[in-house]
Amino acid sequence: MAILYKKYKLERTFSDGRQDPANGKWFARAVSLGTVDVEQLAKLVSYSTTATEADCRAVIESFISEINAALMDSYTVKIDGLGIFKAAIRSTGAVERDEFSVAKNIIGKKVLFMPTRSIDAATNQVTKHLVAKPQFKETPEYE
């Protein structure tokens, strides 16, 4: 298994007309081969456990529902080995405290995700568990 990437040459102009100093340099961008959905996850989990695919699907769907409920109740959700989910909002400012309203000033919502990580005490190096020691492989060129 490997994380696939493709190379691209940066050519960017900012809205004010400035050129990006990194223009002309080559970078890597991760490539996605598709999406694994709940149905596929349930099937994969059932292959590696004694649970049926239907049981796995029910647990995954309930798990997602409970994460959502906890976030909506203003809790941070920590899943050991995966990471932390936290609700966040975006708002505009009101001149006076009494002028602030949800309808007028809260303009966005999102969920923040921070992968589980550990810090090696000897080297002080941070390791994110989801992609702890990935292999990388360049995708073939199809031009």
Side-chain angles (χ1 to χ4, degrees), residues 17-136:
R18 290 178 300 126
Q19 296 292 313
D20 192 315
N23 278 349
K25 294 183 180 176
W26 288 86
F27 295 87
R29 179 175 290 132
V31 172
S32 173
L33 297 178
T35 302
V36 176
D37 61 14
V38 170
E39 185 175 325
Q40 291 166 307
L41 281 174
K43 191 175 288 187
L44 293 168
V45 171
S46 74
Y47 292 153
S48 61
T49 66
T50 59
T52 68
E53 186 178 330
D55 290 339
C56 293
R57 184 179 180 101
V59 168
I60 293 169
E61 288 175 353
S62 179
F63 185 69
I64 293 167
S65 177
E66 292 304 320
I67 290 172
N68 186 54
L71 291 171
M72 295 302 103
D73 284 339
S74 209
Y75 285 94
T76 296
V77 178
K78 180 181 178 186
I79 302 168
D80 294 332
L82 181 63
I84 298 171
F85 296 87
K86 180 181 176 185
I89 58 175
R90 191 166 160 241
S91 65
T92 59
V95 176
E96 299 292 330
R97 180 183 177 97
D98 294 343
E99 292 176 0
F100 187 93
S101 74
V102 170
K104 186 170 68 173
N105 297 96
I106 295 183
I107 58 172
K109 63 194 179 314
K110 61 184 174 182
V111 175
L112 302 177
F113 174 72
M114 296 164 284
T116 297
R117 60 190 187 120
S118 59
I119 301 173
D120 183 313
T123 63
N124 216 23
Q125 186 172 3
V126 175
T127 301
K128 294 180 181 174
H129 292 252
L130 285 178
V131 287
K133 295 179 182 174
Q135 300 292 314
F136 297 98

